[in-house]
Amino acid sequence: MKPGQGCFYLGAYRAFVSVKDAFLLVHSVSGCSWGALALRQMGRQDDVRQAGTMVHEREIVFGGEGKLREALEILKARRPKRVFVLNGCPTDMIRDDIEGVIRQAACPFPVHWFNTAGYRGSMREGYIAAMCRLVPLLEDGGKRDPRAVNLVGISADDYRGETDLAAIRKMLEPETRLNAALPMLTEEGIRRWGEAGLNIVFRGFEAVGEALKQRFGTAYITVDYPYGAEGSAVFLRAVDEALGADHGETIRRGTEAAADLAEKVVHPLRLLYQAEAAVAGDHMRASAMRRFLQEELGLRIAAYRDDLDPHEDGERWLEAVRDSGAVLVFGSAFERQLEDELPLRLIRFAYPVMDAVALGYQPYAGFDGLAYLLSDILNGVLAYPYRRRGQFEP
Amino acid sequence: MKRICIYGKGGIGKSTVVANTAAAAAAEGKRVLVVGCDPKADTTRVLMHRTIETILDAHTRLGGEPPVDAILHRGAFGVACLESGGPRAGEGCAGRGIALALQDIRDLEIVESLQPDLILFDVLGDVVCGGFSTPLRANAADTAYIVTTSDFMAVYAANNIAACIRKYAQRGGCRLGGLIFNARSAAGDEAFVSEFAGKIGSSVVGRIPMDRAITRAELKRMTVLEHAPEAPSAQSFRSLARHFLTAEEGVVPEPLDGEALESLGDRMAEAAFREENL
């Protein structure tokens, strides 16, 4: 784990907080609880389902089991549908018997503990491990529906996660039915997970696809995040190939709409050819964004990093951006400093984004997402400081 | 002022050595402070003839740093007693507890106000607990002694402790003062302990004989110096206390490597089997 990579706990948190109506109990010091909350402060503020045991020095010395016991008693009165107990590094180091406390508490609702001590790995590893931990909770559901698919990889904490999911659902239906998403599960999704005939797994989450295959025997395909018209078409063709479905009409309409869009903004679009850009983010989004920018818009990617590379070095990436002529940076709120430092624009697309909102239906993914993504990219280029000075200043 | 840590495998007799040498030094008119650094909080039991409230318990009870008189007690022969305390077995972190207790001792300037001639830290036996090295790491003590019997596992632990002392000796002023041989083991052969001590560059500086007076005194929650002042063990504790007060600086030990230690163990085993056959 390196600075800036996040920790195992934060990754696991992202997965568990995505399970709708589930309650998260963070058994750790206040920093873990508030840190996770801070990273999702622009998430659904009407949907905060979290508490922390707020372990202090006293609990580190004498053990924190009492506080956990007390927290579970308080939760009993609130009757949540299910509770995920996450622990931080300190409560793992002092080896609180979390499992024993949960068993003794005999809560009238399911309580699941997962050892999420931060030092167990990177945020990416925590996210994947937590999704795998959710797999045993999923149920067979009713009859198999060969037209139904499940989607693996989008978290409720992702910037535009919900709206991207809605756009992907819109692309998939009615030829196929989006049955459930992991980790963005509902209680119904948990019950009906096994009904799907195919699991669509975003690149980098193959381990979750394998775990699901072992649990339900369901085949899975690995796809790239569907940015752009070509990215969306490739996504749908992969689904068609696996399921024998036909999204040909959706692809035709989507491609036509993309061409119409391009015609409307042909002049600023030309500005993008061979312009330099930098990309940083989680592998699922960053790799797909890189492809979209290079292949569909003709940008040159001067600096790239994603969390799949265990030797990922944020500092090296920053240096590469500084040495480049990048006019756009695609990243998270953590890349904001570059906007202050260099004459470029930041397009927020990767976790975490704490300094922007995308209200309503404003996806970046799918055919519908192209208009929003392209608008933000072009607005970024049009607002580029050097260009502004060139046009309006002597 | 001599600041001494007593180390050794769990149950080897560290608290017995600390309590009785403290009593012996105090009986000769020295100002002595004993700090129990073990969550069991039993170091000062025989000096106080009862268990005392620990620093951490007082901290919890009072919701903050306790006043000195809540944690500092006077025991046999006027020995000043402190117990760090800590969690129950299997819970929390004893190491962090000991570190906090030592912090309180520093903040309350207990050492500065008592001006003791001798401070004895009784350290828990678990070499992999963070609390184990806290007195050395926190620079609260400058000489360490290791209590051992002639059992191989006790010597094995002593070797580990020597490695730890060496580590802190290299970055600070801490030294190994010597080994204290506790002859309570039935098959006790001091020769092996002396050999081990020599090989790590140290020596045996004290010998505690097998003496039922120790057991009886502890059952009565007393030091041997109170319960049986003429017992052979009482004489040993007096002699060891004098050593603590007068000894020159110790050494930086050279712990044995695994092979040398195993070889010593083999010879100890041979001797033990030979004795059994006889």
Side-chain angles (χ1 to χ4, degrees):
Chain A
M1 191 172 74
K2 288 182 173 181
Q5 278 190 329
C7 68
F8 191 89
Y9 157 76
L10 282 175
Y13 174 95
R14 290 179 61 199
F16 291 124
V17 83
S18 300
V19 181
K20 196 166 166 50
D21 296 333
F23 199 93
L24 267 65
L25 180 57
V26 180
H27 182 43
S28 189
V29 293
S30 59
C32 295
S33 201
W34 288 109
L37 269 178
L39 286 175
R40 71 179 311 254
Q41 61 182 307
M42 286 304 170
R44 292 287 301 268
Q45 291 170 9
D46 60 343
D47 187 27
V48 177
R49 297 165 272 113
Q50 180 187 336
T53 53
M54 305 300 167
V55 161
H56 289 98
E57 192 99 270
R58 186 178 181 283
E59 284 75 34
I60 299 301
V61 174
F62 291 102
E65 293 170 18
K67 272 208 162 173
L68 179 60
R69 203 169 289 120
E70 199 182 329
L72 288 171
E73 285 305 317
I74 292 168
L75 278 183
K76 278 181 186 172
R78 295 181 173 257
R79 305 196 70 78
K81 286 186 176 155
R82 69 175 71 230
V83 172
F84 292 107
V85 177
L86 285 68
N87 60 275
C89 302
T91 43
D92 186 48
M93 277 191 273
I94 62 172
R95 286 283 152 183
D96 269 356
D97 181 14
I98 296 171
E99 216 167 8
V101 172
I102 291 171
R103 202 178 307 122
Q104 281 171 1
C107 295
F109 41 79
V111 181
H112 316 282
W113 168 55
F114 186 47
N115 184 351
T116 54
Y119 46 59
R120 290 188 63 194
S122 65
M123 181 160 72
R124 172 186 179 75
E125 288 165 334
Y127 186 49
I128 293 172
M131 279 198 277
C132 290
R133 175 69 179 82
L134 286 168
V135 170
L137 309 184
L138 303 173
E139 296 171 20
D140 257 329
K143 239 174 36 184
R144 279 284 170 101
D145 176 356
R147 282 176 51 261
V149 295
N150 296 321
L151 192 68
V152 175
I154 302 179
S155 141
D157 248 9
D158 286 337
Y159 183 51
R160 298 177 195 258
E162 279 188 30
T163 190
D164 274 2
L165 187 62
I168 292 168
R169 180 190 296 275
K170 195 175 156 195
M171 269 200 320
L172 286 166
E173 292 176 351
E175 288 80 2
T176 44
R177 177 173 68 83
L178 182 54
N179 178 58
L182 183 70
M184 286 178 71
L185 288 161
T186 57
E187 285 297 322
E188 193 191 356
I190 290 173
R191 276 195 303 278
R192 301 183 58 176
W193 183 272
E195 291 179 11
L198 179 71
N199 291 322
I200 303 171
V201 177
F202 285 123
R203 197 167 301 287
F205 301 131
E206 289 84 350
V208 188
E210 280 297 326
L212 288 164
K213 191 176 172 184
Q214 281 188 13
R215 169 96 168 81
F216 297 100
T218 316
Y220 71 92
I221 54 168
T222 307
V223 294
D224 287 315
Y225 207 76
Y227 285 131
E230 182 58 20
S232 300
V234 168
F235 175 90
L236 288 177
R237 282 190 205 110
V239 175
D240 287 350
E241 195 179 324
L243 275 187
D246 183 5
H247 285 91
E249 182 54 21
T250 309
I251 294 171
R252 190 191 61 74
R253 275 190 282 111
T255 308
E256 270 181 23
D260 286 348
L261 274 180
E263 279 178 24
K264 281 179 190 157
V265 288
V266 65
H267 174 60
L269 260 184
R270 280 201 318 231
L271 291 171
L272 297 177
Y273 280 118
Q274 293 304 297
E276 289 190 17
V279 177
D282 54 283
H283 179 70
M284 174 178 80
R285 284 190 174 75
S287 60
M289 182 61 79
R290 175 172 60 179
R291 186 212 58 80
F292 167 68
L293 297 173
Q294 281 178 329
E295 295 179 14
E296 297 195 38
L297 297 185
L299 284 153
R300 273 198 300 137
I301 304 303
Y304 175 84
R305 74 176 165 91
D306 71 36
D307 59 0
L308 196 60
D309 176 8
H311 305 297
E312 177 199 12
D313 188 335
E315 282 303 315
R316 206 163 47 211
W317 179 83
L318 276 175
E319 281 310 308
V321 177
R322 288 184 184 116
D323 291 344
S324 75
V327 293
L328 291 169
V329 169
F330 295 79
S332 69
F334 287 158
E335 278 69 56
R336 188 168 59 179
Q337 53 165 322
L338 282 170
E339 263 192 332
D340 302 331
E341 188 186 325
L342 300 167
L344 47 74
R345 283 285 171 258
L346 169 65
I347 308 292
R348 291 161 177 80
F349 83 110
Y351 176 87
V353 174
M354 307 87 78
D355 56 354
V357 290
L359 297 172
Y361 185 68
Q362 293 189 52
Y364 274 175
F367 286 115
D368 283 0
L370 181 62
Y372 298 100
L373 181 54
L374 206 51
S375 299
D376 286 351
I377 291 172
L378 290 175
N379 289 336
V381 174
L382 293 168
Y384 178 57
Y386 173 80
R387 178 182 165 75
R388 208 164 53 220
R389 277 199 297 275
Q391 278 191 331
F392 304 115
E393 288 168 17
Chain B
M1 175 169 48
K2 295 281 189 174
R3 306 183 307 165
I4 288 168
C5 276
I6 304 296
Y7 284 102
K9 180 177 170 288
I12 207 75
K14 297 180 293 292
S15 302
T16 305
V17 167
V18 167
N20 286 289
T21 49
E28 292 187 11
K30 302 296 181 190
R31 290 187 300 274
V32 183
L33 169 63
V34 166
V35 184
C37 295
D38 190 322
K40 294 199 306 292
D42 57 356
T43 302
T44 59
R45 181 175 166 272
V46 294
L47 284 163
M48 293 300 305
H49 309 150
R50 63 182 170 89
T51 54
I52 57 174
E53 185 175 36
T54 69
I55 297 174
L56 291 174
D57 282 344
H59 219 292
T60 303
R61 179 172 59 83
L62 299 168
E65 195 174 79
V68 176
D69 58 8
I71 55 171
L72 186 68
H73 303 270
R74 291 283 176 181
F77 306 102
V79 173
C81 298
L82 288 166
E83 283 285 359
S84 69
R88 290 184 298 184
E91 285 185 31
C93 174
R96 185 70 197 126
I98 291 166
L100 276 178
L102 287 184
Q103 183 66 45
D104 270 359
I105 293 171
R106 241 192 323 270
D107 292 348
L108 293 168
E109 297 182 333
I110 289 174
V111 174
E112 288 79 355
S113 64
L114 288 178
Q115 290 289 317
D117 301 301
L118 176 65
I119 307 178
L120 287 167
F121 292 93
D122 180 20
V123 186
L124 75 173
D126 186 349
V127 291
V128 289
C129 170
F132 172 81
S133 56
T134 299
L136 298 182
R137 201 182 320 152
N139 203 26
D142 32 40
T143 309
Y145 288 86
I146 305 172
V147 181
T148 183
T149 61
S150 58
D151 299 299
F152 177 66
M153 290 317 292
V155 174
Y156 187 92
N159 195 53
N160 272 336
I161 295 163
C164 171
I165 294 167
R166 178 175 177 77
K167 176 188 162 186
Y168 286 101
Q170 283 169 336
R171 62 170 238 202
C174 148
R175 294 287 182 270
L176 173 63
L179 272 70
I180 299 163
F181 176 61
N182 188 351
R184 67 160 192 205
S185 173
D189 187 345
E190 190 186 336
F192 286 116
V193 176
S194 296
E195 181 185 337
F196 168 73
K199 282 187 167 162
I200 65 169
S202 186
S203 60
V204 176
V205 298
R207 292 161 185 80
I208 313 300
M210 189 153 60
D211 187 351
R212 288 183 64 84
I214 297 175
T215 314
R216 280 197 292 267
E218 286 182 350
L219 285 171
K220 286 180 151 298
R221 296 193 192 93
M222 293 169 87
T223 60
V224 182
L225 280 93
E226 296 165 284
H227 174 68
E230 301 308 322
S233 57
Q235 298 302 336
S236 297
F237 290 127
R238 286 189 191 98
S239 149
L240 188 56
R242 277 194 287 276
H243 170 86
F244 285 164
L245 288 161
T246 58
E248 298 294 315
E249 192 183 49
V251 299
V252 178
E254 286 280 357
L256 302 185
D257 61 23
E259 207 177 316
L261 197 60
E262 287 299 337
S263 158
L264 180 68
D266 288 344
R267 285 190 294 112
M268 287 168 89
E270 274 172 35
F273 290 135
R274 217 170 27 242
E275 195 177 327
E276 221 170 274
N277 289 335
L278 285 173

